[in-house]
Amino acid sequence: MNRPKHQATKAVMTLTLMGNLEQGCTVHSIVTTSREQVEHKASLPGDRQLKIYLQQHWQTYRQLYTPFRGLKPLKVDTGQEVLDIQNTQKQLEKRFNDWLNQDSFRVIENMMRVLNTAHQDSVLAIRSDSRALLKLPWSKWQLAQGHFPLAIKFLPINTVTILGPTKPQKISKILMVLGKAEDLKIHEDHQAIANAMPAGVTVLKEPSLGQLHDHLWEQSWDLFIFSGHSQTTDQGQIKLNSEEFIAIELLENGVKAAIKGGLKGAIFNSCDGIGLAQKLEQYGLQKVVAMQEWVPDTVAQVFFKHLMVNFSQGLSFDQAFNQARKRLQKLEDRFPDAQSLPFLYEKPQCCPWIYAKPLSPGQWGQRLALKAIASTACVLGLRWLGLLAGLELGSYDHLMKQRPEEIIDSRLVVVEITEDDTNKYKYPIFDTVLD
């Protein structure tokens, strides 16, 4: 049967941008559906003013008077007016949409118009080796906000985009690291995951590098979570404790060992995590959630709470992420553009994730008892029906044949009674005859 003309289907549009904001970039678009793959090539001009607006917006945001989860939070005497941040946000979004509204980009714009009106639950995936291009407000692209708004995610630059397998992977064993808190309320993150997922979570508070390595090497995990301070300069860094500011490269061997043991992804509920995500993907992680920029502590708490609740209640991880990000809109009167902070960085072939609640010791005992009862009942039923008779007799014969040959003891006398004897002496033969 032919598909109805306007039936919504899933699609992935991947935009690969090679270049930078100052000199311009080439754009390779691939739209992938279950039935076809369509490619287009386009270009975008350099726009130094857009880069300036991008820098101004986030610099203004960092002046917001609130605790951030960055390694070196700014200390200011007064809070930056929220109105100023909203103005830089509007200025950036307008310039961004004007930049995309180019004749050289029109073929991709037209494809986007079709995508967001005919395909539900679709994805806009961005690939670039320029961090500035990744930090642009892609969720505010007017054409990405059509009848079916697109979910935004980032992909590694050297990957092939296909629709990945649909069989979900189960997430149950979680390692959570709480870094140096200082003025942050990261205990709220701990409480959020304890409420949503009361079993299967191991928490390390301000561990040393050695302790973290040992846990990565010696146990199997599905998901790694870090809450605390982090930043990206030339490389991603996290603050484990009051003395150790470590580059993510120092965890390379531990992370690779954990991936072999089943580790699938990571969440960094901390600042400026693009460098962390890119490096961990290179090590082989399927999926990383992090923050684009410095994230206010309140925003991080609210996002993480909704993410864990949504995921534990049956949504796939991607659905839980998208809903948690949208829920940040309620904070935008105090923290403008909060929705744009979390991002999802993953491999194209990554399977969906679902949360599998670990069984308690009592539940394990109940499950084993039920299996034992079921197995016993099955065997007894088969024996009662006689379906095991052939197997049992065959096994008995085989075992009898495996016995060693028995030698008659010389101290024993064997008396043979033949049919002639019973005819002559009658049966049974009395001892007096034998004597």
Side-chain angles (χ1 to χ4, degrees), residues 128-158:
S128 179
D129 54 3
S130 167
R131 290 178 181 172
L133 289 173
L134 293 178
K135 285 189 175 184
L136 290 171
W138 291 101
S139 63
K140 303 300 183 180
W141 185 8
Q142 292 173 353
L143 293 181
Q145 300 176 338
H147 184 63
F148 296 120
L150 275 67
I152 311 294
K153 63 178 62 174
F154 298 149
L155 304 181
I157 190 66
N158 296 317

PDB file of all heavy atoms in Angstrom, residues 128-158:
ATOM      1  N   SER A 128      30.940  20.164  12.179  1.00  0.00           N
ATOM      2  CA  SER A 128      31.912  21.179  11.808  1.00  0.00           C
ATOM      3  C   SER A 128      33.135  21.043  12.700  1.00  0.00           C
ATOM      4  O   SER A 128      33.023  20.620  13.859  1.00  0.00           O
ATOM      5  CB  SER A 128      31.317  22.585  11.952  1.00  0.00           C
ATOM      6  OG  SER A 128      32.276  23.569  11.622  1.00  0.00           O
ATOM      7  N   ASP A 129      34.295  21.414  12.151  1.00  0.00           N
ATOM      8  CA  ASP A 129      35.497  21.444  12.984  1.00  0.00           C
ATOM      9  C   ASP A 129      35.711  22.824  13.588  1.00  0.00           C
ATOM     10  O   ASP A 129      36.708  23.065  14.268  1.00  0.00           O
ATOM     11  CB  ASP A 129      36.731  21.019  12.181  1.00  0.00           C
ATOM     12  CG  ASP A 129      36.903  21.838  10.917  1.00  0.00           C
ATOM     13  OD1 ASP A 129      36.100  22.759  10.690  1.00  0.00           O
ATOM     14  OD2 ASP A 129      37.844  21.554  10.140  1.00  0.00           O
ATOM     15  N   SER A 130      34.765  23.751  13.368  1.00  0.00           N
ATOM     16  CA  SER A 130      34.822  25.093  13.941  1.00  0.00           C
ATOM     17  C   SER A 130      33.879  25.170  15.136  1.00  0.00           C
ATOM     18  O   SER A 130      32.669  25.002  14.993  1.00  0.00           O
ATOM     19  CB  SER A 130      34.424  26.137  12.892  1.00  0.00           C
ATOM     20  OG  SER A 130      34.182  27.393  13.505  1.00  0.00           O
ATOM     21  N   ARG A 131      34.417  25.429  16.313  1.00  0.00           N
ATOM     22  CA  ARG A 131      33.574  25.522  17.503  1.00  0.00           C
ATOM     23  C   ARG A 131      32.641  26.724  17.434  1.00  0.00           C
ATOM     24  O   ARG A 131      31.536  26.694  17.978  1.00  0.00           O
ATOM     25  CB  ARG A 131      34.446  25.582  18.752  1.00  0.00           C
ATOM     26  CG  ARG A 131      35.152  24.265  19.038  1.00  0.00           C
ATOM     27  CD  ARG A 131      36.055  24.334  20.248  1.00  0.00           C
ATOM     28  NE  ARG A 131      36.729  23.056  20.461  1.00  0.00           N
ATOM     29  CZ  ARG A 131      37.696  22.865  21.341  1.00  0.00           C
ATOM     30  NH1 ARG A 131      38.100  23.871  22.103  1.00  0.00           N
ATOM     31  NH2 ARG A 131      38.261  21.670  21.472  1.00  0.00           N
ATOM     32  N   ALA A 132      33.068  27.792  16.749  1.00  0.00           N
ATOM     33  CA  ALA A 132      32.190  28.959  16.598  1.00  0.00           C
ATOM     34  C   ALA A 132      30.952  28.601  15.781  1.00  0.00           C
ATOM     35  O   ALA A 132      29.837  29.018  16.114  1.00  0.00           O
ATOM     36  CB  ALA A 132      32.959  30.096  15.939  1.00  0.00           C
ATOM     37  N   LEU A 133      31.125  27.806  14.730  1.00  0.00           N
ATOM     38  CA  LEU A 133      29.974  27.393  13.925  1.00  0.00           C
ATOM     39  C   LEU A 133      29.029  26.508  14.734  1.00  0.00           C
ATOM     40  O   LEU A 133      27.809  26.587  14.584  1.00  0.00           O
ATOM     41  CB  LEU A 133      30.440  26.659  12.674  1.00  0.00           C
ATOM     42  CG  LEU A 133      31.118  27.529  11.599  1.00  0.00           C
ATOM     43  CD1 LEU A 133      31.682  26.661  10.481  1.00  0.00           C
ATOM     44  CD2 LEU A 133      30.139  28.552  11.038  1.00  0.00           C
ATOM     45  N   LEU A 134      29.572  25.679  15.595  1.00  0.00           N
ATOM     46  CA  LEU A 134      28.723  24.829  16.433  1.00  0.00           C
ATOM     47  C   LEU A 134      27.953  25.647  17.467  1.00  0.00           C
ATOM     48  O   LEU A 134      26.851  25.260  17.873  1.00  0.00           O
ATOM     49  CB  LEU A 134      29.568  23.769  17.134  1.00  0.00           C
ATOM     50  CG  LEU A 134      30.220  22.697  16.247  1.00  0.00           C
ATOM     51  CD1 LEU A 134      31.073  21.756  17.090  1.00  0.00           C
ATOM     52  CD2 LEU A 134      29.168  21.912  15.479  1.00  0.00           C
ATOM     53  N   LYS A 135      28.532  26.768  17.905  1.00  0.00           N
ATOM     54  CA  LYS A 135      27.890  27.569  18.943  1.00  0.00           C
ATOM     55  C   LYS A 135      26.821  28.518  18.402  1.00  0.00           C
ATOM     56  O   LYS A 135      26.161  29.203  19.179  1.00  0.00           O
ATOM     57  CB  LYS A 135      28.951  28.379  19.707  1.00  0.00           C
ATOM     58  CG  LYS A 135      29.765  27.541  20.674  1.00  0.00           C
ATOM     59  CD  LYS A 135      30.637  28.407  21.563  1.00  0.00           C
ATOM     60  CE  LYS A 135      31.353  27.569  22.611  1.00  0.00           C
ATOM     61  NZ  LYS A 135      32.137  28.407  23.546  1.00  0.00           N
ATOM     62  N   LEU A 136      26.641  28.572  17.099  1.00  0.00           N
ATOM     63  CA  LEU A 136      25.590  29.404  16.533  1.00  0.00           C
ATOM     64  C   LEU A 136      24.209  28.895  16.992  1.00  0.00           C
ATOM     65  O   LEU A 136      24.048  27.701  17.268  1.00  0.00           O
ATOM     66  CB  LEU A 136      25.674  29.405  15.007  1.00  0.00           C
ATOM     67  CG  LEU A 136      26.873  30.153  14.421  1.00  0.00           C
ATOM     68  CD1 LEU A 136      26.980  29.897  12.921  1.00  0.00           C
ATOM     69  CD2 LEU A 136      26.762  31.654  14.699  1.00  0.00           C
ATOM     70  N   PRO A 137      23.208  29.762  17.054  1.00  0.00           N
ATOM     71  CA  PRO A 137      21.886  29.360  17.590  1.00  0.00           C
ATOM     72  C   PRO A 137      21.065  28.561  16.581  1.00  0.00           C
ATOM     73  O   PRO A 137      20.050  29.034  16.058  1.00  0.00           O
ATOM     74  CB  PRO A 137      21.234  30.713  17.918  1.00  0.00           C
ATOM     75  CG  PRO A 137      21.839  31.670  16.945  1.00  0.00           C
ATOM     76  CD  PRO A 137      23.262  31.211  16.762  1.00  0.00           C
ATOM     77  N   TRP A 138      21.481  27.326  16.316  1.00  0.00           N
ATOM     78  CA  TRP A 138      20.807  26.515  15.307  1.00  0.00           C
ATOM     79  C   TRP A 138      19.353  26.224  15.667  1.00  0.00           C
ATOM     80  O   TRP A 138      18.504  26.089  14.785  1.00  0.00           O
ATOM     81  CB  TRP A 138      21.578  25.209  15.099  1.00  0.00           C
ATOM     82  CG  TRP A 138      22.902  25.428  14.444  1.00  0.00           C
ATOM     83  CD1 TRP A 138      24.133  25.469  15.043  1.00  0.00           C
ATOM     84  CD2 TRP A 138      23.128  25.675  13.051  1.00  0.00           C
ATOM     85  NE1 TRP A 138      25.113  25.723  14.119  1.00  0.00           N
ATOM     86  CE2 TRP A 138      24.539  25.846  12.882  1.00  0.00           C
ATOM     87  CE3 TRP A 138      22.320  25.779  11.935  1.00  0.00           C
ATOM     88  CZ2 TRP A 138      25.123  26.102  11.643  1.00  0.00           C
ATOM     89  CZ3 TRP A 138      22.883  26.033  10.696  1.00  0.00           C
ATOM     90  CH2 TRP A 138      24.267  26.196  10.559  1.00  0.00           C
ATOM     91  N   SER A 139      19.052  26.141  16.943  1.00  0.00           N
ATOM     92  CA  SER A 139      17.662  25.887  17.333  1.00  0.00           C
ATOM     93  C   SER A 139      16.765  27.079  17.032  1.00  0.00           C
ATOM     94  O   SER A 139      15.534  26.951  17.032  1.00  0.00           O
ATOM     95  CB  SER A 139      17.592  25.541  18.823  1.00  0.00           C
ATOM     96  OG  SER A 139      18.037  26.628  19.616  1.00  0.00           O
ATOM     97  N   LYS A 140      17.358  28.246  16.775  1.00  0.00           N
ATOM     98  CA  LYS A 140      16.588  29.450  16.454  1.00  0.00           C
ATOM     99  C   LYS A 140      16.500  29.694  14.948  1.00  0.00           C
ATOM    100  O   LYS A 140      15.966  30.729  14.523  1.00  0.00           O
ATOM    101  CB  LYS A 140      17.229  30.671  17.132  1.00  0.00           C
ATOM    102  CG  LYS A 140      17.370  30.553  18.634  1.00  0.00           C
ATOM    103  CD  LYS A 140      16.022  30.367  19.321  1.00  0.00           C
ATOM    104  CE  LYS A 140      16.200  30.318  20.839  1.00  0.00           C
ATOM    105  NZ  LYS A 140      14.904  30.132  21.532  1.00  0.00           N
ATOM    106  N   TRP A 141      17.021  28.782  14.153  1.00  0.00           N
ATOM    107  CA  TRP A 141      16.842  28.886  12.705  1.00  0.00           C
ATOM    108  C   TRP A 141      15.348  28.817  12.422  1.00  0.00           C
ATOM    109  O   TRP A 141      14.671  27.863  12.797  1.00  0.00           O
ATOM    110  CB  TRP A 141      17.599  27.744  12.024  1.00  0.00           C
ATOM    111  CG  TRP A 141      17.606  27.791  10.527  1.00  0.00           C
ATOM    112  CD1 TRP A 141      17.152  28.803   9.724  1.00  0.00           C
ATOM    113  CD2 TRP A 141      18.084  26.774   9.655  1.00  0.00           C
ATOM    114  NE1 TRP A 141      17.322  28.489   8.404  1.00  0.00           N
ATOM    115  CE2 TRP A 141      17.894  27.238   8.326  1.00  0.00           C
ATOM    116  CE3 TRP A 141      18.647  25.517   9.842  1.00  0.00           C
ATOM    117  CZ2 TRP A 141      18.248  26.477   7.218  1.00  0.00           C
ATOM    118  CZ3 TRP A 141      19.017  24.772   8.743  1.00  0.00           C
ATOM    119  CH2 TRP A 141      18.814  25.246   7.445  1.00  0.00           C
ATOM    120  N   GLN A 142      14.837  29.838  11.763  1.00  0.00           N
ATOM    121  CA  GLN A 142      13.388  29.931  11.556  1.00  0.00           C
ATOM    122  C   GLN A 142      12.831  28.718  10.827  1.00  0.00           C
ATOM    123  O   GLN A 142      11.724  28.258  11.125  1.00  0.00           O
ATOM    124  CB  GLN A 142      13.066  31.217  10.783  1.00  0.00           C
ATOM    125  CG  GLN A 142      13.340  32.478  11.583  1.00  0.00           C
ATOM    126  CD  GLN A 142      13.176  33.744  10.768  1.00  0.00           C
ATOM    127  OE1 GLN A 142      12.974  33.685   9.553  1.00  0.00           O
ATOM    128  NE2 GLN A 142      13.266  34.897  11.425  1.00  0.00           N
ATOM    129  N   LEU A 143      13.594  28.177   9.896  1.00  0.00           N
ATOM    130  CA  LEU A 143      13.098  27.034   9.132  1.00  0.00           C
ATOM    131  C   LEU A 143      13.166  25.727   9.917  1.00  0.00           C
ATOM    132  O   LEU A 143      12.610  24.727   9.492  1.00  0.00           O
ATOM    133  CB  LEU A 143      13.890  26.894   7.827  1.00  0.00           C
ATOM    134  CG  LEU A 143      13.693  28.030   6.823  1.00  0.00           C
ATOM    135  CD1 LEU A 143      14.501  27.768   5.563  1.00  0.00           C
ATOM    136  CD2 LEU A 143      12.221  28.184   6.469  1.00  0.00           C
ATOM    137  N   ALA A 144      13.855  25.721  11.049  1.00  0.00           N
ATOM    138  CA  ALA A 144      13.892  24.525  11.902  1.00  0.00           C
ATOM    139  C   ALA A 144      12.739  24.505  12.885  1.00  0.00           C
ATOM    140  O   ALA A 144      12.588  23.562  13.659  1.00  0.00           O
ATOM    141  CB  ALA A 144      15.218  24.449  12.650  1.00  0.00           C
ATOM    142  N   GLN A 145      11.900  25.565  12.861  1.00  0.00           N
ATOM    143  CA  GLN A 145      10.805  25.687  13.818  1.00  0.00           C
ATOM    144  C   GLN A 145       9.453  25.624  13.114  1.00  0.00           C
ATOM    145  O   GLN A 145       8.531  26.335  13.458  1.00  0.00           O
ATOM    146  CB  GLN A 145      10.931  27.015  14.577  1.00  0.00           C
ATOM    147  CG  GLN A 145      12.230  27.132  15.348  1.00  0.00           C
ATOM    148  CD  GLN A 145      12.384  28.483  16.008  1.00  0.00           C
ATOM    149  OE1 GLN A 145      11.763  29.452  15.609  1.00  0.00           O
ATOM    150  NE2 GLN A 145      13.215  28.549  17.034  1.00  0.00           N
ATOM    151  N   GLY A 146       9.327  24.720  12.131  1.00  0.00           N
ATOM    152  CA  GLY A 146       8.096  24.606  11.365  1.00  0.00           C
ATOM    153  C   GLY A 146       7.037  23.796  12.079  1.00  0.00           C
ATOM    154  O   GLY A 146       6.984  23.717  13.308  1.00  0.00           O
ATOM    155  N   HIS A 147       6.184  23.144  11.276  1.00  0.00           N
ATOM    156  CA  HIS A 147       5.083  22.352  11.827  1.00  0.00           C
ATOM    157  C   HIS A 147       5.612  21.242  12.733  1.00  0.00           C
ATOM    158  O   HIS A 147       5.040  20.937  13.782  1.00  0.00           O
ATOM    159  CB  HIS A 147       4.265  21.758  10.676  1.00  0.00           C
ATOM    160  CG  HIS A 147       3.057  21.004  11.134  1.00  0.00           C
ATOM    161  ND1 HIS A 147       2.023  21.617  11.814  1.00  0.00           N
ATOM    162  CD2 HIS A 147       2.727  19.685  11.025  1.00  0.00           C
ATOM    163  CE1 HIS A 147       1.090  20.712  12.098  1.00  0.00           C
ATOM    164  NE2 HIS A 147       1.491  19.541  11.629  1.00  0.00           N
ATOM    165  N   PHE A 148       6.726  20.620  12.330  1.00  0.00           N
ATOM    166  CA  PHE A 148       7.390  19.611  13.151  1.00  0.00           C
ATOM    167  C   PHE A 148       8.787  20.135  13.487  1.00  0.00           C
ATOM    168  O   PHE A 148       9.726  19.940  12.720  1.00  0.00           O
ATOM    169  CB  PHE A 148       7.505  18.277  12.415  1.00  0.00           C
ATOM    170  CG  PHE A 148       6.196  17.632  12.090  1.00  0.00           C
ATOM    171  CD1 PHE A 148       5.846  17.363  10.778  1.00  0.00           C
ATOM    172  CD2 PHE A 148       5.308  17.300  13.089  1.00  0.00           C
ATOM    173  CE1 PHE A 148       4.639  16.766  10.471  1.00  0.00           C
ATOM    174  CE2 PHE A 148       4.094  16.706  12.793  1.00  0.00           C
ATOM    175  CZ  PHE A 148       3.754  16.439  11.480  1.00  0.00           C
ATOM    176  N   PRO A 149       8.969  20.848  14.614  1.00  0.00           N
ATOM    177  CA  PRO A 149      10.291  21.377  14.949  1.00  0.00           C
ATOM    178  C   PRO A 149      11.335  20.266  15.005  1.00  0.00           C
ATOM    179  O   PRO A 149      11.071  19.173  15.508  1.00  0.00           O
ATOM    180  CB  PRO A 149      10.067  22.014  16.328  1.00  0.00           C
ATOM    181  CG  PRO A 149       8.601  22.291  16.388  1.00  0.00           C
ATOM    182  CD  PRO A 149       7.949  21.179  15.618  1.00  0.00           C
ATOM    183  N   LEU A 150      12.523  20.554  14.521  1.00  0.00           N
ATOM    184  CA  LEU A 150      13.573  19.550  14.465  1.00  0.00           C
ATOM    185  C   LEU A 150      14.354  19.509  15.773  1.00  0.00           C
ATOM    186  O   LEU A 150      14.625  20.551  16.394  1.00  0.00           O
ATOM    187  CB  LEU A 150      14.540  19.839  13.308  1.00  0.00           C
ATOM    188  CG  LEU A 150      14.138  19.310  11.926  1.00  0.00           C
ATOM    189  CD1 LEU A 150      12.905  20.030  11.411  1.00  0.00           C
ATOM    190  CD2 LEU A 150      15.296  19.473  10.950  1.00  0.00           C
ATOM    191  N   ALA A 151      14.727  18.308  16.193  1.00  0.00           N
ATOM    192  CA  ALA A 151      15.662  18.152  17.300  1.00  0.00           C
ATOM    193  C   ALA A 151      17.062  18.440  16.771  1.00  0.00           C
ATOM    194  O   ALA A 151      17.419  18.029  15.664  1.00  0.00           O
ATOM    195  CB  ALA A 151      15.583  16.739  17.868  1.00  0.00           C
ATOM    196  N   ILE A 152      17.864  19.155  17.566  1.00  0.00           N
ATOM    197  CA  ILE A 152      19.212  19.551  17.148  1.00  0.00           C
ATOM    198  C   ILE A 152      20.228  18.688  17.870  1.00  0.00           C
ATOM    199  O   ILE A 152      20.141  18.472  19.081  1.00  0.00           O
ATOM    200  CB  ILE A 152      19.486  21.030  17.465  1.00  0.00           C
ATOM    201  CG1 ILE A 152      18.345  21.919  16.963  1.00  0.00           C
ATOM    202  CG2 ILE A 152      20.820  21.464  16.882  1.00  0.00           C
ATOM    203  CD1 ILE A 152      18.183  21.975  15.471  1.00  0.00           C
ATOM    204  N   LYS A 153      21.207  18.184  17.122  1.00  0.00           N
ATOM    205  CA  LYS A 153      22.321  17.472  17.743  1.00  0.00           C
ATOM    206  C   LYS A 153      23.574  17.706  16.920  1.00  0.00           C
ATOM    207  O   LYS A 153      23.509  18.127  15.762  1.00  0.00           O
ATOM    208  CB  LYS A 153      22.030  15.978  17.878  1.00  0.00           C
ATOM    209  CG  LYS A 153      21.845  15.234  16.578  1.00  0.00           C
ATOM    210  CD  LYS A 153      21.620  13.747  16.818  1.00  0.00           C
ATOM    211  CE  LYS A 153      20.374  13.461  17.601  1.00  0.00           C
ATOM    212  NZ  LYS A 153      20.080  12.021  17.721  1.00  0.00           N
ATOM    213  N   PHE A 154      24.730  17.451  17.526  1.00  0.00           N
ATOM    214  CA  PHE A 154      26.011  17.598  16.851  1.00  0.00           C
ATOM    215  C   PHE A 154      26.599  16.220  16.569  1.00  0.00           C
ATOM    216  O   PHE A 154      26.442  15.281  17.375  1.00  0.00           O
ATOM    217  CB  PHE A 154      27.003  18.389  17.701  1.00  0.00           C
ATOM    218  CG  PHE A 154      26.546  19.806  17.987  1.00  0.00           C
ATOM    219  CD1 PHE A 154      26.899  20.430  19.168  1.00  0.00           C
ATOM    220  CD2 PHE A 154      25.760  20.497  17.079  1.00  0.00           C
ATOM    221  CE1 PHE A 154      26.485  21.721  19.441  1.00  0.00           C
ATOM    222  CE2 PHE A 154      25.337  21.787  17.341  1.00  0.00           C
ATOM    223  CZ  PHE A 154      25.701  22.397  18.525  1.00  0.00           C
ATOM    224  N   LEU A 155      27.288  16.094  15.446  1.00  0.00           N
ATOM    225  CA  LEU A 155      27.942  14.848  15.064  1.00  0.00           C
ATOM    226  C   LEU A 155      29.438  15.081  14.882  1.00  0.00           C
ATOM    227  O   LEU A 155      29.856  16.189  14.535  1.00  0.00           O
ATOM    228  CB  LEU A 155      27.363  14.307  13.754  1.00  0.00           C
ATOM    229  CG  LEU A 155      25.854  14.049  13.673  1.00  0.00           C
ATOM    230  CD1 LEU A 155      25.512  13.484  12.303  1.00  0.00           C
ATOM    231  CD2 LEU A 155      25.408  13.099  14.763  1.00  0.00           C
ATOM    232  N   PRO A 156      30.247  14.051  15.060  1.00  0.00           N
ATOM    233  CA  PRO A 156      31.666  14.157  14.749  1.00  0.00           C
ATOM    234  C   PRO A 156      31.861  14.474  13.268  1.00  0.00           C
ATOM    235  O   PRO A 156      31.057  14.081  12.425  1.00  0.00           O
ATOM    236  CB  PRO A 156      32.223  12.775  15.104  1.00  0.00           C
ATOM    237  CG  PRO A 156      31.210  12.174  16.020  1.00  0.00           C
ATOM    238  CD  PRO A 156      29.890  12.741  15.621  1.00  0.00           C
ATOM    239  N   ILE A 157      32.941  15.159  12.966  1.00  0.00           N
ATOM    240  CA  ILE A 157      33.143  15.634  11.602  1.00  0.00           C
ATOM    241  C   ILE A 157      33.419  14.496  10.629  1.00  0.00           C
ATOM    242  O   ILE A 157      32.967  14.525   9.481  1.00  0.00           O
ATOM    243  CB  ILE A 157      34.295  16.671  11.561  1.00  0.00           C
ATOM    244  CG1 ILE A 157      34.368  17.360  10.189  1.00  0.00           C
ATOM    245  CG2 ILE A 157      35.612  16.033  11.941  1.00  0.00           C
ATOM    246  CD1 ILE A 157      33.195  18.212   9.869  1.00  0.00           C
ATOM    247  N   ASN A 158      34.119  13.456  11.048  1.00  0.00           N
ATOM    248  CA  ASN A 158      34.498  12.368  10.134  1.00  0.00           C
ATOM    249  C   ASN A 158      33.611  11.153  10.347  1.00  0.00           C
ATOM    250  O   ASN A 158      34.042  10.122  10.856  1.00  0.00           O
ATOM    251  CB  ASN A 158      35.967  11.993  10.335  1.00  0.00           C
ATOM    252  CG  ASN A 158      36.906  13.128   9.981  1.00  0.00           C
ATOM    253  OD1 ASN A 158      36.713  13.791   8.971  1.00  0.00           O
ATOM    254  ND2 ASN A 158      37.901  13.359  10.818  1.00  0.00           N
TER     255      ASN A 158
END
